[in-house]
Amino acid sequence: MNKSILTVMIALTMLLTNSTISFANSKTKTSVYSGTSISIKLKNDTDDEMTVINAGSGGTYRLSKNTVVTIKMDEGDKLFVYEKGKKGALLLVASSEMDGKVQLVSKL
């Protein structure tokens, strides 16, 4: 009986020691939110539907004719026309001056 209790105590001690060592060796990753998120309203005032891609986040957006789509971007992110699965022409580079304002595709 004493040997089984001693064996259980040694096993618990080793288990706790092993988990403490692995916890001490783990690295912490800290992400800092920059707060520069910009909401850009993009209006497709052309006669054709189109798809655009945000090169920063990789998100794609379908723009129907005469619709307004709000795209969240970070400052400096680039928005491209998305054609046949690839980035096409550069439409705009996000800046704080664009926040909340409608950007016409025909003017870009």
Side-chain angles (χ1 to χ4, degrees), residues 38-43 61 63 68-73 100:
I38 301 168
S39 294
I40 296 176
K41 296 180 180 184
L42 194 61
K43 182 174 182 177
Y61 306 88
L63 304 175
V68 177
V69 175
T70 302
I71 301 174
K72 295 240 183 221
M73 301 177 75

Side-chain angles (χ1 to χ4, degrees), residues 57-95:
S57 69
T60 58
Y61 306 88
R62 184 79 177 153
L63 304 175
S64 301
K65 294 187 285 186
N66 295 316
T67 59
V68 177
V69 175
T70 302
I71 301 174
K72 295 240 183 221
M73 301 177 75
D74 291 329
E75 193 162 1
D77 281 356
K78 295 178 180 178
L79 190 71
F80 292 91
V81 175
Y82 193 62
E83 299 173 319
K84 299 179 185 174
K86 295 184 180 182
K87 288 190 281 187
L90 175 67
L91 281 179
L92 61 86
V93 177
S95 67

Side-chain angles (χ1 to χ4, degrees), residues 18-66:
N18 191 20
S19 64
T20 305
I21 290 170
S22 65
F23 179 72
N25 290 335
S26 66
K27 295 182 180 181
T28 304
K29 182 179 177 183
T30 305
S31 298
V32 178
Y33 178 67
S34 64
T36 58
S37 182
I38 301 168
S39 294
I40 296 176
K41 296 180 180 184
L42 194 61
K43 182 174 182 177
N44 184 4
D45 58 339
T46 65
D47 292 332
D48 299 321
E49 291 184 353
M50 64 187 307
T51 302
V52 295
I53 185 168
N54 179 352
S57 69
T60 58
Y61 306 88
R62 184 79 177 153
L63 304 175
S64 301
K65 294 187 285 186
N66 295 316

